[in-house]
């Protein structure tokens, strides 16, 4: 049986892991996005990019709830339901310690296999026909929906969190710092706004209830329409369109096969990147580039968590001007993209016909990161 959240400590642990859960899908989607060659698959790129921005929104919403409950969002391991050292930060290939149904998350270039995995992640039952068909396999929940339902139930229980547990925090990320996707940042100050924040994550993304498969695929609200006219319906429906190569018609149900306009995807116009794990101290120029990417990614993750924690950033050290911390962190994705694209254009000497693939390997600050920085510098000096 799935386990309810029964105390404040586990509720805060669940929310820390929720931030990490939303993070875990971003490198999966970015690997496919960055593998697309310039000038090709623009519709597919727009779809994937929009989902990535909304996953960032979902991270922010979970972080805002934590802040309202007096808990600083952190990448440090947490304890949840008696299980210790659960890291919010994914390591790929990633198997969630919480949710069995999503399977293994892999870093793949845009391909039918990659898109099928996107659909499975975002499907209410992760591709299963029935909830009972999903084995818990030592996890706490079978689906992402079950996980978020447990959080919603706990947030509603005044024995687990009292009204007085919620407070307005200066670390709240405001809506003005979010852009590029559907929905809005909700500043959490009480039980109602906390529940609303979780419900927004569920409505847009992986926690979609099974009943939504029997509803219109292109169901949207006013806040799901961008100024450009782009309609941001559920992640599942958007990725299902990519998978089938067609858009949903206006009144089609989400469990039907899309029958609308063509959505062509050219899988040959993609860099053939191949993921490999870090190999000790070995390496030449390719290892240097891979390590530099990991260091850039690690700093980006740190910047996101610092933004969630309300750490002030400045544009100019000589003039202390408060900066929109989340926007500055997101701008770090431009450097990340530049390094990722460079990797994917670089032939992999160990695998003819393939190119290097970003590892999205988070290296914690301190000794381990210092060692990688030193190793990368020494390799660079040798070459």
């Amino acid at each position: 049986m799935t386990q309810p959240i029964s105390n404040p400590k586990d509720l805060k642990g669940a929310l820390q892991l929720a931030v990490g859960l939303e993070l875990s899908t971003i490198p999966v989607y970015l690997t496919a996005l960055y593998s697309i060659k310039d000038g090709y698959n623009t519709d597919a790129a727009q779809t994937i990019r929009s989902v990535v921005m909304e996953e960032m929104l979902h991270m922010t919403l979970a972080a805002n709830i934590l802040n309202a409950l007096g808990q600083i969002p952190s990448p440090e391991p947490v304890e949840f339901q008696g299980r210790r050292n659960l890291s919010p930060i994914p390591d790929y290939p990633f198997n969630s310690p919480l949710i069995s149904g999503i399977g293994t998350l892999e870093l793949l270039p845009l391909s039918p296999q990659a898109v099928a995995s996107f659909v499975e992640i975002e499907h209410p039952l992760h591709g299963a026909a029935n909830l009972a068909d999903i084995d818990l396999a030592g996890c706490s929940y079978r689906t992402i929906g079950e996980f978020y339902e447990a959080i919603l139930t706990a947030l509603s229980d005044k024995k687990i969190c009292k009204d007085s547990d919620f407070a307005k925090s200066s670390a709240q990320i405001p809506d003005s710092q979010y852009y590029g996707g559907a929905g809005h940042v909700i500043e959490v100050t009480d039980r109602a706004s906390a529940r609303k924040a979780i419900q927004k994550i569920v409505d847009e993304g992986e926690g979609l209830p099974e009943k939504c498969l029997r509803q219109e695929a292109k169901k949207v609200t006013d806040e799901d329409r961008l100024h450009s006219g782009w309609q941001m319906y559920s992640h599942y429906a958007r990725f299902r369109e990519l998978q089938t190569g067609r858009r949903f018609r206006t009144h089609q149900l989400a469990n039907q096969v899309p029958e609308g306009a063509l959505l062509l995807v050219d899988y040959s116009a993609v860099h053939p990147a191949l993921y490999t794990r870090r190999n000790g101290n070995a390496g030449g120029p390719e290892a240097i580039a891979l390590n530099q990417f990991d260091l850039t990614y690690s700093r980006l993750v740190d910047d996101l968590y610092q933004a969630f924690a309300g750490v002030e950033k400045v544009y100019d050290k000589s003039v202390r001007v408060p900066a929109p911390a989340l926007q500055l962190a997101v701008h770090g994705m431009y450097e990340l993209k530049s390094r990722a694209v460079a990797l994917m254009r670089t032939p992999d000497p160990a695998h003819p016909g393939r190119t290097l693939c970003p590892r999205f390997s988070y290296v914690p600050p301190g000794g381990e990161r210092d060692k990688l920085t030193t190793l990368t510098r020494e390799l660079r000096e040798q070459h």
Side-chain angles (χ1 to χ4, degrees):
M1 293 180 62
T2 56
Q3 301 179 40
I5 295 170
S6 57
N7 59 69
K9 181 179 179 180
D10 278 348
L11 174 58
K12 292 175 181 178
L15 288 164
Q16 295 281 14
L17 293 170
V19 176
L21 174 64
E22 299 301 329
L23 172 64
S24 71
T25 63
I26 292 176
V28 174
Y29 299 152
L30 285 181
T31 301
L33 176 63
Y34 293 159
S35 73
I36 298 172
K37 294 181 178 180
D38 289 344
Y40 293 90
N41 292 317
T42 54
D43 286 340
Q46 183 182 36
T47 294
I48 299 170
R49 188 181 300 110
S50 69
V51 172
V52 167
M53 293 308 299
E54 287 157 33
E55 302 294 8
M56 295 280 289
L57 169 63
H58 301 167
M59 289 180 69
T60 304
L61 292 171
N64 274 357
I65 301 173
L66 275 168
N67 279 316
L69 290 173
Q71 184 81 26
I72 297 174
S74 169
E76 294 295 321
V78 299
E79 180 177 343
F80 178 65
Q81 295 181 336
R83 301 172 65 186
R84 297 182 177 180
N85 295 318
L86 295 179
S87 175
I89 309 298
D91 182 32
Y92 300 95
F94 177 63
N95 289 288
S96 171
L98 278 181
I99 300 153
S100 61
I102 58 176
T104 302
L105 302 188
E106 299 181 273
L107 304 179
L108 301 169
L110 185 67
S111 62
Q113 179 186 355
V115 175
S117 74
F118 300 171
V119 172
E120 185 171 304
I121 291 168
E122 304 287 353
H123 186 276
L125 299 178
H126 306 304
N130 300 286
L131 186 62
D133 294 338
I134 304 174
D135 187 354
L136 270 174
C139 295
S140 299
Y141 306 97
R142 289 167 291 191
T143 67
I144 295 174
E146 282 192 333
F147 174 55
Y148 279 121
E149 184 59 35
I151 292 177
L152 273 173
T153 300
L155 286 170
S156 301
D157 191 336
K158 293 185 178 182
K159 293 180 181 178
I160 295 175
C161 54
K162 302 185 293 291
D163 290 337
S164 58
D165 290 337
F166 294 92
K168 184 172 178 59
S169 166
S170 61
Q172 290 283 317
I173 298 290
D175 188 48
S176 60
Q177 291 196 33
Y178 173 67
Y179 61 95
H184 298 280
V185 174
I186 297 167
E187 294 187 52
V188 178
T189 58
D190 54 21
R191 190 184 311 278
S193 53
R195 285 181 52 81
K196 185 178 178 182
I198 292 296
Q199 195 60 56
K200 171 52 63 179
I201 297 174
V202 170
D203 289 345
E204 283 188 352
E206 308 91 340
L208 199 69
E210 184 185 1
K211 66 180 182 181
C212 290
L213 292 174
R214 298 182 291 276
Q215 298 175 356
E216 289 186 5
K218 299 178 77 168
K219 179 182 178 182
V220 294
T221 63
D222 288 342
E223 67 177 21
D224 294 326
R225 292 185 176 90
L226 302 189
H227 295 301
S228 63
W230 180 260
Q231 294 185 14
M232 299 294 200
Y233 33 94
S234 75
H235 296 179
Y236 168 73
R238 277 179 259 172
F239 284 144
R240 187 76 174 112
E241 289 180 331
L242 275 189
Q243 185 180 43
T244 61
R246 283 189 178 274
R247 300 286 189 189
F248 279 103
R249 293 186 185 276
T250 301
H251 298 298
Q252 276 197 274
L253 305 183
N255 61 3
Q256 295 178 322
V257 177
E259 298 175 346
L262 290 173
L263 174 59
L264 300 179
V265 182
D266 182 358
Y267 291 112
S268 68
V270 172
H271 297 293
L274 178 66
Y275 171 86
T276 55
R277 284 185 175 275
R278 186 181 297 121
N279 182 21
N281 296 333
E286 296 82 12
I288 295 171
L290 286 164
N291 289 347
Q292 287 176 327
F293 179 90
D294 287 343
L295 291 168
T296 299
Y297 173 66
S298 299
R299 289 192 295 270
L300 173 61
V301 171
D302 288 346
D303 285 347
L304 284 171
Y305 272 97
Q306 288 178 10
F308 296 151
V311 175
E312 185 183 60
K313 297 287 184 179
V314 294
Y315 289 115
D316 186 339
K317 291 183 179 179
S318 63
V319 181
R320 195 165 187 80
V321 179
L326 182 61
Q327 287 184 8
L328 290 179
V330 171
H331 286 167
M333 292 182 71
Y334 290 112
E335 180 185 357
L336 195 75
K337 177 183 178 181
S338 177
R339 291 192 181 279
V341 171
L343 285 173
M344 291 186 172
R345 291 174 175 171
T346 303
D348 184 342
H351 300 91
R354 305 302 293 269
T355 62
L356 300 179
C357 182
R359 292 180 299 220
F360 288 94
S361 179
Y362 177 75
V363 185
E368 190 175 346
R369 189 178 299 180
D370 291 344
K371 287 180 182 178
L372 183 61
T373 301
T374 300
L375 170 63
T376 304
R377 184 179 64 250
E378 291 174 349
L379 288 172
R380 191 165 53 242
E381 291 170 353
Q382 295 171 14
H383 295 277

